[in-house]
Amino acid sequence: MTTTRILEGLGRLYIWLLLAFLYLPIIIMALMSFNVSPFYQLPFEWTTEWYASLWQNDQLIAATRNSVEIAVITTIICVVLGSAASLALYRYEFRGKKFLQALLFPPIAIPWLITGTAMLIFFFGVGIGRGLHAILLGHVALALPYVIVVVSARLQTFAPELEEAARSLGANQWQVTRRVTLPWINAVSTIIIVVSMALMLLTARFFKFGGEK
């Protein structure tokens, strides 16, 4: 009994340490946004001048507006295309299917710096150039594999008997997809993942981590 309590205590301690490791830097960063020093200098002196300066910076506000627009459009495109691609991979067998599924993982595993550089070279090579349209294409290309992987994993737990039952009751393919298959997908989780990835990509786009802004 004593050993069990010790293990439970160590487990709780591990969880708290893990949470502190993940969230303590975020809390410190938020607190330092109210520090008069822009370089995290101590002792801490309270101020809200950085937030006041933020609302007066038209360039930064415009960049934020563009970031939100890109995030929303990326979410919509990736959820629609990713869900459709996942349904196709789930329902149909065709030549090259395994190879196509394997191609979903390199964009996730390859560092974003390498992928972003390759996309920039490709966009200039084909005449797309750079701008919001190029940023949107890049974000969709990076976020789409995440949606397909998540939705495909969810569909693997789907009972095909439900679709067969709906067809036997007279439902067509669109009705089966809309009323049976899609409600089973974890749409909320998918949207959260896509939005999170979009925000992370946008943050990486506008900040040089470890250096100046």
Side-chain angles (χ1 to χ4, degrees), residues 5-86:
R5 291 182 177 177
I6 293 176
L7 292 176
E8 290 179 353
L10 291 176
R12 293 192 184 96
L13 177 61
Y14 172 77
I15 292 175
W16 281 110
L17 290 176
L18 180 61
L19 291 175
F21 177 78
L22 292 174
Y23 292 103
L24 192 58
I26 299 176
I27 296 174
I28 293 176
M29 180 189 68
L31 290 176
M32 284 299 176
S33 68
F34 295 98
N35 190 5
V36 69
S37 171
F39 303 109
Y40 300 95
Q41 183 177 344
L42 296 176
F44 184 94
E45 296 183 28
W46 181 272
T47 184
T48 58
E49 65 174 303
W50 304 116
Y51 289 92
S53 300
L54 172 65
W55 293 112
Q56 298 173 2
N57 191 324
D58 295 334
Q59 184 177 2
L60 187 57
I61 292 176
T64 302
R65 187 184 303 111
N66 292 334
S67 300
V68 173
E69 291 177 357
I70 291 175
V72 172
I73 298 174
T74 299
T75 300
I76 295 173
I77 294 176
C78 288
V79 169
V80 174
L81 295 183
S83 299
S86 300

Side-chain angles (χ1 to χ4, degrees), residues 148-158 183-187 190:
I148 298 176
V149 169
V150 172
V151 177
S152 297
R154 181 60 175 171
L155 287 174
Q156 295 303 317
T157 65
F158 181 75
W184 188 269
I185 296 170
N186 248 335
T190 303

